[in-house]
Amino acid sequence: MAVYTDVSDEDIRAFVAEYDIGAVASFKGIAEGVENSNFLLLTDRAPFIVTLYEKRVHREDLPFFLGLMDHLAARGVPCPTPIHGRDGEALRELCGRPAAIISFLTGVWPRRIQPDHCAALGAALAEMHRAGADFPIRRANALSVSGWRPLLDACRDRADTVRAGLAETLETELAALEACWPDDLPVGVIHADLFPDNVFFEGFELTGLIDFYFACNDFFAYDLAVCLNAWCFERRGEFNVTKARRLLSSYRAHRALSPVEIAALPLLARGAALRFLLTRLYDWLNQVEGALVRPKDPLEYLHKLRFHQGVDGPAAYGLA
Amino acid sequence: MAVYTDVSDEDIRAFVAEYDIGAVASFKGIAEGVENSNFLLLTDRAPFIVTLYEKRVHREDLPFFLGLMDHLAARGVPCPTPIHGRDGEALRELCGRPAAIISFLTGVWPRRIQPDHCAALGAALAEMHRAGADFPIRRANALSVSGWRPLLDACRDRADTVRAGLAETLETELAALEACWPDDLPVGVIHADLFPDNVFFEGFELTGLIDFYFACNDFFAYDLAVCLNAWCFERRGEFNVTKARRLLSSYRAHRALSPVEIAALPLLARGAALRFLLTRLYDWLNQVEGALVRPKDPLEYLHKLRFHQGVDGPAAYGLA
């Protein structure tokens, strides 16, 4: 739940006047998202989302994020589109923060994942990967393998307060991943944070991919590894191979996976698990008093990491 | 900011199917309100608000609240109306909690109060008081004078941790109010919590009064006393007599204030200040770790209480 900035009625009216989208009829903070402040704006014409980029998003990355949404939407990917103002600009300031109005997507994110959701996700992810191929701006993945050691360094001293032995587990795993992280897999624009709350559905029809604020250039298959972690484990921790199979087979029906990508999946899945384990651990150990966001349980991702450490090949994910 | 209950897509679809309001197009938690969980629902026809009543609202009070909104809206008061389902019921269950769909009001609550807002507020409050005259259900004000001593008892031991001498100040004031609280003022249905975030405007046109979940039967003039506290002080603490004058004179243009009501205003304003001082102090001293709502500063209301203690008559509020 996140609204970090209070926007006055005068502020939003002046802001909206820069666009040709009608007059403000309603403006309410949305209790979703963690990094930014999000508001639902209704004008007398249509609903929109207003996003204020808070300090965790770097201002210099915004042309990548907003340009990417424009690029993908123009190619049919169901994602929010930045609305351009009368001056042609999509990015301006509101209450001293970079801010944009983006198009509103219908649909609801799924709380109880079904295999059919995973199939729709796989297809949309593959189409997104293909649609991003000719996007001209580059952005490195700050949270790939080279970004994990600084996180571990910041957490190591207190990691064992969360779980005995956690620091050593993380150190061993990180060393292993650093030693064998691939560098020859197909790369392109990936979402890098495609959790269920970033995907909207109407029934099993996927209506939107949102929150591109971790998007970057990295291995396509790493995006699948993030999704295997985020979509294919049950609440009690069991890995649901049916969901994984549907995710991967549907992806492959829209973009071929090469043998090296398939072979790398268990390693990438370990890496994706470690990435979220480390960022959640960092947030857990650095809780801000009075924060309005509850930190997520890092140990959920320790469990997922252990699962991937134990698989003996990509067949564990339902691949033939 | 408040969404205490996560509602699944299946849950909301099944809930909305009980009504003739179209199909769910979007459903998002709203970062407003403190007592309940509120969601903005867009169907393919219109926007609505879905409210889940959390534990601070007593289930037995809901017929009063929902019935009152129906009653007032039917008499032209700009307030949300509960939507009745196909079975005629407005109150049902969602995720194990009492829940209702209420109509959506346009407008934005004002962050910077102007005298014109206060004038519009006065007129709407008077009209609301008149429209409630023939509402048949009764609800006592649990947070009037008889409710303050239990709050003070719960806070007394730790009050001085917030401000030295606060316990004694509260004790002295409460004893004085208990001794001379009136019992002969005109009574009727009051809102009892009409803070700026419960009043929507488009420009200076008042478009909605919301959040009737403290409404009760009590002195009409006490509602004005709540508004004097909530609308007529500047951020730095100065009392703005122009705003008070506009509030009161506009109210009187729509409902006459009797001489006893006018004479009682300073006392009622002290009582209203003490009520919010005590409830804020209680919430301040009983913060729940991990809560998603920041407690409001109780000392803001100590300052307001002292102002009202110091006035020498209703003329201080701009009354001729």
Side-chain angles (χ1 to χ4, degrees), chain B residues 181-241:
Chain B
W181 195 250
D183 59 8
D184 57 350
L185 300 178
V187 298
V189 175
I190 68 166
H191 184 286
D193 191 41
L194 208 46
F195 279 63
D197 58 346
N198 287 331
V199 186
F200 293 167
F201 288 85
E202 291 183 357
F204 292 120
E205 186 194 349
L206 191 153
T207 57
L209 306 175
I210 67 162
D211 202 348
F212 283 80
Y213 303 108
F214 287 98
C216 54
N217 294 83
D218 204 343
F219 306 139
F220 291 128
Y222 180 74
D223 237 0
L224 278 169
V226 170
C227 291
L228 284 171
N229 279 292
W231 290 75
C232 301
F233 287 86
E234 301 301 313
R235 278 172 204 227
R236 292 181 183 175
E238 312 95 311
F239 184 74
N240 185 323
V241 72

Side-chain angles (χ1 to χ4, degrees), chain A residues 1 25-26 29 31 40 104 107 292, chain B residues 1 6 25-26 29 31 40 104 107 292:
Chain A
M1 295 208 263
S26 177
L40 179 61
F104 182 87
L292 298 173
Chain B
M1 293 208 264
D6 196 26
S26 178
L40 179 61
F104 182 88
L292 298 174

Side-chain angles (χ1 to χ4, degrees), chain A residues 83-156:
Chain A
I83 308 296
H84 294 257
R86 298 179 200 276
D87 58 0
E89 294 298 320
L91 180 63
R92 61 191 83 230
E93 284 223 346
L94 179 56
C95 298
R97 284 155 183 77
I101 299 182
I102 56 177
S103 63
F104 182 87
L105 299 179
T106 60
V108 178
W109 68 265
R111 270 69 175 178
R112 266 167 256 158
I113 311 300
Q114 305 295 327
D116 283 345
H117 291 122
C118 297
L121 174 70
L125 186 63
E127 292 297 345
M128 192 208 97
H129 287 168
R130 291 173 56 177
D134 57 340
F135 182 61
I137 317 179
R138 294 280 174 275
R139 180 175 182 264
N141 186 359
L143 290 173
S144 185
V145 63
S146 63
W148 300 338
R149 184 156 294 280
L151 279 169
L152 177 55
D153 289 344
C155 296
R156 190 181 287 104

Side-chain angles (χ1 to χ4, degrees), chain B residues 12 15-16 19 21 27 36-41 48-54 62-63 65-67 69-70 80-85 89-95 97-103 213:
Chain B
I12 187 61
F15 186 73
V16 168
Y19 299 80
I21 58 171
F27 185 70
N36 301 313
S37 295
N38 289 300
F39 301 85
L40 179 61
L41 165 70
F48 300 90
I49 299 290
V50 177
T51 299
L52 269 67
Y53 300 100
E54 304 288 350
L62 290 169
F65 299 140
L66 296 176
M69 288 190 269
D70 260 341
T81 340
I83 308 297
H84 293 258
E89 294 297 320
L91 180 64
R92 62 191 83 231
E93 286 223 343
L94 179 56
C95 298
R97 284 153 184 78
I101 300 182
I102 56 177
S103 63
Y213 303 108

